[in-house]
Amino acid sequence: MPDTAAATPTVHSRRTKAVVWLLQGARLGDNQQVLALGAALEARFGWQLVVKQLKFRSGPVPGSDPARGIDHVILDRSDSLTATGEDGWPHIVIAIGRRAAPVARWIRMRAAPYAIHIQLGRFQDPYESVDLLVTTAQYGLPSAPNVLHLSLPMTARKAESLAAAAHSFAPVFAGIPGAPIGVLVGGPSNPITFGAEDGERLLAEALAFADRRQGTLLVATSPRTPPEIVNRLKAGLPAPHRLFPFEAGIGARNPYPALLARCAAFIVTNDSVSMVADAALTGREVRLFELPLIRPRPLWQPSWPLAHWVGRRRNMRLVRGLDADWLDRWFEAEVRRARAQPTRYVPTIMSRLLRERHVARLADPHPPRTDLVPLITQELDMVAARIVALLAERRAAALRDRLRDGGGRFVHAAPREREDQAAMRLQPAE
């Protein structure tokens, strides 16, 4: 159980790698994004990663008071949040989700003023309470100096693991005529619906696409795919096309990574941002199968409080790609102060990807672009550079504090000790 007594932050020398705590919760997709950013920092700088699996109680989540940040954590079922001589306080904490954000604030308070809180995805607290927020379009978060917007969520799928999956499924691919076409099937996700008629339409349009390409469909469903859709695909998908229904807990026998490695093109239902990201980051053609939306409430129908109505209006404008007007800017200012919350709205990011031609509709005669990989790489470099700058600022602040508190002792320190005390800047991995 963490010690709640006041802690003295540790100042690390230049020979000490930055330590990054990766907070993990219950959602696999969220955890993968945290791991992806951690892996990117490790690959670029050789920083030390420490995974912290957390278990949360149901009920209310603490607000932005860092002292209450672990009230909802089941401490005896979670990884230790205690700093020890061997595992000190981190330089950087990466979190995702509203339950992990308070924990990151608590950790930063314990290691203050030197730890850095990086939050991914959605954020529901005052912007001033986080050091860096890295997000994507479906969350509708406004810009700010401490916010970075990415084209797609980060993914932790490594090339070597995809290649290994493809090798293990080689006998399956060996007997497939024509080019394999991956069909990644999600499920209903507000405001997107997925009914029996949509399953029929998906089957017909995917088969027609495969016929035009003289390819073979390899269809993978997900945990959210409705059972009636899975049954319809089983009944209606003729040989040599293959269906791989989702099975929980099958580990290396999961065909999904192998499909990402081997398929020449992809059809993805437009409810799943993560599956679209996985497919697009292969550098191959991605086609969207558009599921119907729940009809939005007309704007002439009032909402209360006013911010809710303005947020609905802003979502519709974001889907159309319109620039912010004065009402949007007012709402965005309220979001930064945590006095309003944008609704997660997947059509926003899908419409943006379509406008920029990174994906194309299934029936579109023109192929989409396939150049997202270098863009995503540059965006990861941008995130890493921002974190490096934050780390340099915090280490400089630590050095200033030590100089102020240490007085003349620092000036008369031995050369090696003085070098260690002054070396607060980032050093790349050897």
Side-chain angles (χ1 to χ4, degrees), residues 219-242:
V219 184
T221 64
S222 75
R224 292 187 296 106
T225 307
E228 61 270 23
I229 303 299
V230 177
N231 293 335
R232 182 64 193 94
L233 292 171
K234 286 179 179 178
L237 194 65
H241 307 291
R242 293 285 305 275

Side-chain angles (χ1 to χ4, degrees), residues 376-389:
I376 297 302
T377 301
Q378 289 297 317
E379 290 182 346
L380 267 179
D381 287 342
M382 173 183 67
V383 175
R386 181 67 69 87
I387 296 174
V388 165

